[in-house]
Amino acid sequence: MPPPRPALAFAAASLLALTACGTGTEEAKGADGLTVVASAYPLQFLAERIGGDQVSVSNLTKAGGEPHDVELSPRSLVDLRQADLVIYQSDFQPAVDDAVADLDNAHDVVPAAHLELTATDDGHDHGGDASTGSAKAAPDPHFWLDPTKYADVADDVAEQFAQADPAHAAGYRTRAQELRGELDDLDREFTAGLAHCAQDELVTNHAAFGYLAAAYGLHQEAVTGLSPESEASPQDLADAIAHLREHGITTVYAETLLPTNVVDTIARDSGADVLVLDPVEGVTEESSGRDYLEIMRANLTTLERGQQCR
Ligand SMILES: [Zn+2]
């Protein structure tokens, strides 16, 4: 047998290279479904529930990370470009806003979430970040803690999936409808559970629970503001303690992903108890449940106890 001609050897090498390349792409893209990047856990959960087997979902915020101040790795930036669809919310994670600015595969869920609360709507007026003076009040991003708002965003995500992958549109819409049913159940449980509480003042660490409070007749007073990175000043602590005394509040809430020192200080100085609420910004071993629905039900049980509901 004669040795292979140079042209044939070249063709074989090219074929090998192509195959290797194709395999890599296949792994990144999944079989024939959509690859979706979600910017934080609440959108990851929606994407997974609505996408079912048709979608492979990754999360820019790693498990146990706090999403507000996420930093994106070079790998994440590549994933964002290669994804069929990026689901994010503007004005929540500055690093994500920057990263999606020049992408045309990114969808902002904020219009569907109807963010009508701002930092100053929680009753205390710290004027936002003191260093920026008269900065306009930032919208409260934590819409998912109101299950009815979360269901509206689920519908929006389903429509995005349907447009990106029309062959599976019916499945996306059906699963969004099923999820809405579960979120309606959750909403009913919260309404009933928090209907008769001795205390309607809710003192939290960062101001994540404004939409939940608004939906169920509570009034949130947060120690640190909309983002957990905003440091609590001695004045913030003094204000919180005065607020506890004024309203006879006996429970303050720490959070799963945050250090408890701020809340512990307030509790020590005021004699209040500390319970832990979870703003569902990430799921870890320490979380009170395995997913959004379980964690929200644990939050309800905690609130019924802390707000003395019957
Ligand atoms: Zn938050």
Side-chain angles (χ1 to χ4, degrees), residues 66-68 92 140-142 144-145 206-208 225-228 255 279 281:
E66 197 287 317
H68 289 265
F92 175 42
D140 180 347
H142 304 92
W144 57 90
L145 293 168
H206 94 284
L226 284 174
S227 169
E255 287 174 30
E281 292 185 345

Side-chain angles (χ1 to χ4, degrees), residues 227-258:
S227 169
E229 283 67 54
S230 42
E231 290 268 309
S233 68
Q235 188 59 49
D236 291 333
L237 298 182
D239 287 350
I241 290 164
H243 184 76
L244 292 183
R245 297 217 168 99
E246 182 190 340
H247 296 279
I249 298 165
T250 55
T251 300
V252 294
Y253 297 95
E255 287 174 30
T256 315
L257 294 182
L258 294 182

Side-chain angles (χ1 to χ4, degrees), residues 66-142:
E66 197 287 317
H68 289 265
D69 65 337
V70 70
E71 288 173 11
L72 302 182
S73 66
R75 176 74 238 174
S76 294
L77 296 174
V78 171
D79 288 345
L80 279 176
R81 286 189 184 280
Q82 291 183 340
D84 295 314
L85 196 57
V86 177
I87 303 282
Y88 78 106
Q89 64 179 110
S90 53
D91 293 325
F92 175 42
Q93 300 170 282
V96 175
D97 286 341
D98 289 346
V100 302
D102 65 340
L103 296 185
D104 57 10
N105 60 343
H107 175 74
D108 181 6
V109 301
V110 160
H114 305 293
L115 304 181
E116 69 271 12
L117 295 184
T118 61
T120 52
D121 285 343
D122 65 353
H124 61 170
D125 189 358
H126 298 315
D129 185 348
S131 64
T132 59
S134 60
K136 81 173 167 61
D140 180 347
H142 304 92

